[in-house]
Amino acid sequence: MGELIEVTVPSDPRLHDYSGLTDVELRKVREPAEGLFLAEGEKVIRRALAAGYPMRSTLLSPKWAAAMRPLIDAVDAPIYVGDEALLEAVTGFHVHRGALASMQRTPLPSAGTVLERARRVVVMEDIVNHTNLGAIFRSAAALGMDAALLTPSCADPLYRRSVRVSMGTVFAMPYARLDSWPGGLATLTEHGFRTVALTPGPTAIDLRDLRFGPQDKVALLLGTEGDGLSDPALAAADLRVRIPMAAGVDSLNVAAAAAVACYAIAAGS
């Protein structure tokens, strides 16, 4: 059994991985540079380990230490335990789930490698909101999409908020980051994918009329909240589709729209 290491001082250097989690700009730079990401809660930590991410350490409240023992005893990493006040002082927020783990990032595969084993793919253009990004991953994984591709300016799927909102499904679905945009769409074409751009434009095809066979390779393109897909992405897409709206509503939040479109495309296989 791993030794529980009690920590009592928020400035303890051993807790560096967990410090200042509410400083979004700092974490966006620090976590990738230092090769780490944070998993929050037993279920998310379990999924991260199952996906093959090495654990650097865990930080637990006392009441969660016993519940987490079967999981953390199987991992060779320090186990830090501190009261809830200390966890809040270190991280900058109340750790509701009582368990955090610092995980080691692994190299991302290339877009081509991800596409080789996929037939239904979601492509996210410049999604910078971590909540939306995590929600799209969760919907895509749940509704039958095989993989995800991110443009160079997309947010980090392994940022704590993205991981939490996705409930760890960012670990379950292969993803890669494109080297350029919209030039990266050429990689999809090379692998035989038809690109389908989701847009509220009135001339787009009704999503309900979309039909694909089980062997068809389809990539759903999603744009950022508000502006939607860029003109170059729309121009490069093979098809433009829209979700029909009622009651005077012009569009859905990108995460909600992604769920509807992923279901329609995956179900049409």
Side-chain angles (χ1 to χ4, degrees):
M1 295 178 68
E3 177 187 0
L4 299 180
I5 304 168
E6 184 179 4
V7 286
T8 58
V9 180
S11 59
D12 191 318
R14 294 173 295 181
L15 304 181
H16 173 72
D17 285 0
Y18 306 96
S19 62
L21 294 188
T22 55
D23 190 334
V24 176
E25 294 305 317
L26 172 64
R27 303 301 300 194
K28 284 194 297 186
V29 173
R30 219 188 86 191
E31 289 183 12
E34 296 179 11
L36 68 95
F37 69 91
L38 275 296
E40 182 181 353
E42 185 270 341
K43 182 178 291 186
V44 171
I45 294 170
R46 186 180 300 278
R47 287 177 174 172
L49 288 171
Y53 291 97
M55 181 183 286
R56 294 159 61 112
S57 67
T58 55
L59 177 59
L60 312 172
S61 64
K63 69 178 182 181
W64 275 93
M68 293 286 291
R69 285 311 287 257
L71 180 62
I72 57 182
D73 279 344
V75 180
D76 184 18
I79 309 165
Y80 301 116
V81 179
D83 61 31
E84 292 186 359
L86 179 129
L87 266 64
E88 185 167 350
V90 171
T91 63
F93 70 100
H94 181 65
V95 184
H96 295 285
R97 294 172 178 85
L100 290 168
S102 174
M103 312 296 296
Q104 187 69 42
R105 290 173 183 256
T106 56
L108 279 180
S110 67
T113 299
V114 166
L115 293 175
E116 284 174 2
R117 299 184 179 182
R119 291 197 176 276
R120 298 291 190 265
V121 176
V122 60
V123 182
M124 294 175 242
E125 181 191 47
D126 300 347
I127 304 290
V128 295
N129 182 289
H130 292 95
T131 298
N132 284 336
L133 188 74
I136 292 170
F137 263 92
R138 186 174 184 180
S139 295
L143 298 172
M145 305 299 278
D146 302 316
L149 296 181
L150 312 176
T151 63
S153 297
C154 258
D156 180 11
L158 297 185
Y159 183 71
R160 182 180 62 88
R161 187 176 299 157
S162 299
V163 171
R164 186 180 73 243
V165 172
S166 80
M167 289 302 294
T169 53
V170 293
F171 311 133
M173 191 166 66
Y175 73 91
R177 195 174 286 274
L178 294 163
D179 294 330
S180 64
W181 187 257
L185 286 171
T187 305
L188 288 155
T189 303
E190 290 166 5
H191 285 78
F193 280 82
R194 295 187 71 188
T195 51
V196 177
L198 189 63
T199 172
T203 61
I205 300 168
D206 190 319
L207 183 64
R208 296 170 296 187
D209 296 331
L210 210 58
R211 296 289 183 272
F212 294 109
Q215 299 307 312
D216 292 331
K217 295 182 176 181
V218 184
L220 173 67
L221 310 186
L222 300 170
T224 189
E225 185 71 35
D227 293 336
L229 285 165
S230 64
D231 289 339
L234 287 170
D238 296 315
L239 293 172
R240 299 185 188 187
V241 298
R242 61 180 175 82
I243 299 171
M245 298 284 113
V249 178
D250 61 354
S251 65
L252 296 174
N253 167 276
V254 64
V260 174
C262 285
Y263 176 81
I265 288 175
S269 61

